[in-house]
Amino acid sequence: MSALLTKEVTLAHQLDPTRPAGIGGAQRPQGSGRIDKLGDVAGYNGDGATLSDFQNPGIPSVVTEYGSVAATRPGAYDPGWGNLSATLTNGFPTEYAWRSGQALWCAFDHGSVGSTKLETMGIVDYFRLPQASLVLVSQRLRQCGAASWPASGTPAACNSPRIRLISWLWMAPTTRSWS
């Protein structure tokens, strides 16, 4: 595997010498067989954020697929830090100078043959409406207060074009009306 990845990095440099070549999912194997340093940027999935071999690797690195919140709307009011939750600073994953960033798995609910839990791992649901976890992270980033969740009752109006479109699509064709 190392030989193939080395050839791919060399080819990437030949095709575009202005861009770094990355090795993703590089948290296996560990020890002397490591592949993370074969490229210019190392990408570690999930537990690669916390394994000692991959702390400050000497090259730029990114952590992807580090966690999720499996839920149906409105979902859990939980940021889903997963593997990054061991080291938080002010409620967010610690941003180390040697780590280029981190990306959550997964932004959107998606189909899966695995199970319903695997299908509902997004911070945005199938209808592209935000889950509670997205609201929480957005509030923390904007440093504003907690959301007030909808109360029971009958809605008087809906001014959101996206929600109006979804509602319209769910109606029988003979009853569709924008009024």
Side-chain angles (χ1 to χ4, degrees), residues 50-109:
T50 58
L51 297 172
S52 61
D53 272 1
F54 309 113
Q55 304 304 300
N56 200 0
I59 61 172
S61 67
V62 62
V63 174
T64 60
E65 302 180 21
Y66 62 76
S68 68
V69 177
T72 54
R73 192 175 353 117
Y77 201 61
D78 177 342
W81 299 138
N83 297 98
L84 299 176
S85 63
T87 55
L88 298 179
T89 303
N90 298 321
F92 287 94
T94 301
E95 295 184 11
Y96 298 103
W98 44 265
R99 183 177 290 156
S100 300
Q102 51 263 344
L104 173 72
W105 176 266
C106 162
F108 300 98
D109 284 354

Side-chain angles (χ1 to χ4, degrees), residues 1 30-31 53 67 77 100 123 131 136 167 179:
M1 177 174 55
Q30 296 177 334
D53 272 1
Y77 201 61
S100 300
I123 57 176
Q131 300 271 34
L136 173 64
S167 299
S179 57

Side-chain angles (χ1 to χ4, degrees), residues 86-152:
T87 55
L88 298 179
T89 303
N90 298 321
F92 287 94
T94 301
E95 295 184 11
Y96 298 103
W98 44 265
R99 183 177 290 156
S100 300
Q102 51 263 344
L104 173 72
W105 176 266
C106 162
F108 300 98
D109 284 354
H110 58 88
S112 172
V113 296
S115 70
T116 302
K117 185 174 181 181
L118 293 175
E119 294 175 339
T120 57
M121 297 174 73
I123 57 176
V124 177
D125 73 6
Y126 281 110
F127 303 103
R128 302 312 185 234
L129 298 172
Q131 300 271 34
S133 55
L134 176 61
V135 173
L136 173 64
V137 172
S138 296
Q139 289 169 340
R140 287 187 180 176
L141 288 172
R142 291 189 319 245
Q143 298 179 348
C144 60
S148 58
W149 290 102
S152 297

